[in-house]
Amino acid sequence: MRNKYLHALFRTPSGAVGSLTLLLIIALAVVGPLLWHDAAQAENVTNLNLGVSRDHLFGTDGLGRDVFARTMVATRLSLLLAVGAAVVGAILGYVVGIVIAVLPAQLRRVCLAAVDVSLSFPVILLAIVFVAMFGGGTTSTIVAIGIAFAPPLARLSSNLALAESRKEYFRIARTLGVPTRTLLPRYLLANIAEPLLLTFFYAIGSALVAVSALSFLGIGVQPPSYDWGVLLVNGFTLLYVQPAAALGPAAMIVVTGIGLALVGEASARAANPRLAGARRRTAGDDAQNAQAAAEPTPDDPTSDDLVLDVRDLRVAFDTPAGEVVPVRGIDLRIRKGEVLGLVGESGSGKSMTALAIAGLAPANARVTTERCRFLGHAGTPAGLRSRRIGQRLAMVFQDPATSLNPAMRLGTQMTEAVRAGGVGRREAVERAVERLTDVRIPAPASRLRDFANQLSGGQRQRVMIAMGLMTEPALIVADEPTTALDVTVQAQVLSVLRDVNVRSGASVLLISHDMSVIAQMCSKVAVMYAGAIVEYGDTADVVHRPQHPYTRALLASVITLDHSAESEAPAEPGGVAPSADGRNRPGGCSYLARCPIASERCADEIPPLMQGAAGEVACWNMADKEQLV
Amino acid sequence: MAEEAAVVSRPTQQLSSRAGWSDIKARHPWLVFLLSRVARLVVVCALLLVGTFLMVRLMPGDPARRILGLQATPEAVELTRHRLGLDRPQFEQLWSYCWNALHLDFGESFSQGVPVRELIAERFPKTVELAAAATMVLLIVGFGVGTLMAVLTRDGRRPRLDATYGTSMGALSAVPDFVLAALFAVVFGLYLKWFPVAGDNGLSSLTLPTLAVAIPGIGFLSRVVRAEALDVLSQNYVRTARAKRLTGRRIYIRHVMPNAAYGGVTLAGVSFASLVGGTVVVEQVFNWPGMGSALTSAVVNRDYPVVQAGVLLLGATVVIVNTLVDVLLAIVDPGALREN
């Protein structure tokens, strides 16, 4: 733990600068009063309010004392006050917070409400109140600021403690009868100590500011004692005569504050790597444009009824550990009105395929195709110049709860795409009502004014489908549309999807890990494994006469009522699925490690998709013998 | 998911009145919401009243003695006690304190001998002016810079700008408002002579105090807005919006901004409290004739009626603004209201 922090502190330049600054300030606090005490006290009537000079770096004050020496001496008191106030605040706040966390629920709610109320007051105002009550001076400043700091620290510690006490291990320990005197320190405090310490560290910085502010207002440290705040306000009265007397102490406050902030940030980063900088992956436009440009295909007369024709689609990512290739060259051809299923286990690259086709792959993805045509136009749907043709591909995502904008009315969300295309408001609304009726949403007109959270999960997914239908899509890509829903709702959504396919003639690319969903819905199936298609054919063939050993394993894992007695099917795929990166991939078939029928050739050569008994299969042992060379 | 499933649902006794209440809640979410916020506001203000009353009573020593000084005769002290009503029972005192406070009557200032009400009438609008100006600058610059940085540095773009921004904003929020105020006074007031250093002469003298109050908050708010906007950019519904082939502008304005604003406004509400705290300090630096500088000099002079009035008014302002922010949030996201 200690090493982790030290490492983090000095790894980044800002962390290193911050730590060095702090060390310097602490050293100054130790030696400052020893070195400069005499110079700080020496009054000299001939040297009143002098400006900056060699002898007086920050000039002199109204009594002829050297401001630089006084600033150095004040380091100790300023730091002590800040640490003292932070300690008082932390003890009060953490104790109150943790006590609140272990109170019975009713009482806890009342206490938390009280803490929230005190939280809403400005800290400095609270501190002023307490200073007014205790009178000024060093001790009362510490106590006043400590008390004023307690509410936020109490809130934080009670939040942390509550979150911790709701975790599994804690509940189990409590159920097992671990006594409270062990439970509290060993289970609770030990696990929230890190954020609490970090916060304490931040609190020192804020306390320094608050203490200086009180002194600056003349109600904190009282003469003859002095901290930076006192020096600052003294200097401030001389602002016109010699500003350095104010700027010197001000600089010390700022430098110390920045040092504390930098160190705090660096250690927070060490404690929580997610803070290290948001490197989020979202859909980007660059990749899409790039791939659209690289598309010089001539027209192909045989592709008339092909809605989508993709050849050799690859998706690759560059990572520090090397190239990762989740999709390694697959072909997809979807005909008008066809429902194609893309099935495979999670991590097989099927969702990435869908995102790449829709042009929604992460910004750092490299998407390449040998050929890509959508509705006879060259380019991916996303890369197409014409927005309207691009809109003829609709997406339905896995999680309807997060895929709808929570802050926008459903009507606006449904109509915005066609409205942007020039359709009038009334017409767009009428169309939205129609589409909602198509997906069997009751009272569609009034639903348009609702927000997503007012719908059930199944309704949300049907709204997503209806929203996709607004632009009269030629292809609906449904990426695990029913995975987040329970079984009865699944059936509803699937039947809506089939309805839509029959009525509007839109093709559907249905992606699922669930063979039974695919079997219900699709005319053709492509089975995907480790970024490649291993079997392709008519659904009936693939389901009843699976060729590839992986397909067989996948089917065997589906328990259906009429097939439950069949026990001769191979067991679930054993072993570990290969990772998508190419580093430790052997030269041969990617299914090799889990395959029950592997032969020698499988270890040496990657099997391409070949003609099988029915449909196509990428397996040396199952392909038509005549095809093999 | 697994955790949720593992949570054993406790059998709760459903009271009939509860069911009725949830029924009302479902039918009139706005009414229930507004009532609860107003109720909270009233409770907090009541607590503030009691708190400021107790503040003076809990202090060691006798207020009358404090006014008159140590040399005063016992008779004079007794007379003053009577005049201040300190010889009456505590509850009666509390009642009349509250009653008077509700009429903005806080008695006479010990040090200036004028009614506190007059002082407030003169000072409070000045603080409101400063706080309002600073809030506006804070929100406009904070949201603007935060959103801009999110757009510029999304998906790990411009890593150097990202690092510079993070460090400089961190440093900016580490500079205390009163130090900033002093620096501004020296640089822009004294050397460059762009703005007056002290007093109240219209807009030009409002500029420096406003910036001094707003800037530390900007460092904080813009970082939060940026993080919030980045978070929204990675949400599934933004992916949905992209799947609909909307223009980038529409995606930002209609899908990203409103959702990022929610978190931003929540924090703007929180930072308003520290902003009011900032005015207290900054007013002192620029000699701004507001409530804050009146409050600090009252603390120094032990002028308790003014301290009470100042704490009460500033505290109530913060609480009222926070309530308004809550209502605003409910307007921005009515969905949350229903779940509330």
Side-chain angles (χ1 to χ4, degrees), chain A residues 136 147 224 431 491 502 535 562:
Chain A
I147 297 175
R431 199 188 289 184
V502 171
E535 182 160 359
D562 45 325

Side-chain angles (χ1 to χ4, degrees), chain B residues 43-276:
Chain B
V43 169
V44 173
C45 286
L47 285 176
L48 257 178
L49 272 171
V50 176
T52 46
F53 173 80
L54 287 178
M55 180 178 90
V56 173
R57 299 304 184 282
L58 288 178
M59 267 184 287
D62 180 9
R65 174 68 70 184
R66 246 178 274 129
I67 299 173
L68 299 172
L70 290 172
Q71 277 78 35
T73 59
E75 291 77 27
V77 170
E78 205 45 55
L79 212 67
T80 313
R81 280 183 63 86
H82 181 71
R83 187 168 60 87
L84 295 175
L86 293 173
D87 50 356
R88 286 183 289 158
Q90 292 287 334
F91 269 108
E92 210 182 305
Q93 286 183 45
L94 175 63
W95 173 248
S96 68
Y97 169 75
C98 294
W99 180 253
N100 292 335
L102 287 177
H103 296 82
L104 292 180
D105 178 6
F106 294 93
E108 266 182 20
S109 158
F110 289 176
S111 59
Q112 300 178 45
V114 292
V116 178
R117 192 208 302 245
E118 278 174 30
L119 204 78
I120 293 170
E122 188 187 315
R123 297 290 191 123
F124 191 62
K126 285 285 151 199
T127 295
V128 171
E129 188 184 329
L130 178 57
T135 308
M136 239 151 67
V137 172
L138 172 70
L139 291 183
I140 293 171
V141 180
F143 271 92
V145 172
T147 316
L148 185 70
M149 291 311 293
V151 172
L152 289 180
T153 62
R154 68 185 195 277
D155 311 328
R157 281 164 223 230
R158 301 185 181 81
R160 202 170 300 169
L161 177 68
D162 192 3
T164 317
Y165 166 77
T167 310
S168 55
M169 285 298 141
L172 199 61
S173 42
V175 180
D177 36 25
F178 61 97
V179 170
L180 208 61
L183 283 179
F184 281 178
V186 172
V187 177
F188 298 111
L190 214 57
Y191 286 125
L192 298 172
K193 296 198 187 341
W194 289 354
F195 302 101
V197 178
D200 170 28
N201 297 302
L203 203 60
S204 68
S205 41
L206 183 62
T207 310
L208 289 183
T210 302
L211 291 179
V213 174
I215 284 179
I218 288 173
F220 176 66
L221 184 67
S222 82
R223 278 193 296 176
V224 172
V225 169
R226 172 179 172 272
E228 201 70 31
L230 280 178
D231 186 51
V232 172
L233 278 174
S234 73
Q235 293 293 314
N236 284 343
Y237 54 80
V238 173
R239 188 178 62 182
T240 307
R242 287 187 206 279
K244 285 193 276 186
R245 311 281 162 230
L246 301 175
T247 57
R249 212 178 57 182
R250 186 172 172 93
I251 291 176
Y252 276 111
I253 294 177
R254 293 303 310 271
H255 289 270
V256 178
M257 295 275 267
N259 286 292
Y262 190 82
V265 171
T266 313
L267 269 143
V270 175
S271 36
F272 183 77
S274 64
L275 192 137
V276 167

Side-chain angles (χ1 to χ4, degrees), chain A residues 40 66 102 255 259 326 455:
Chain A
D66 181 51
V102 297
V255 168
L455 302 179

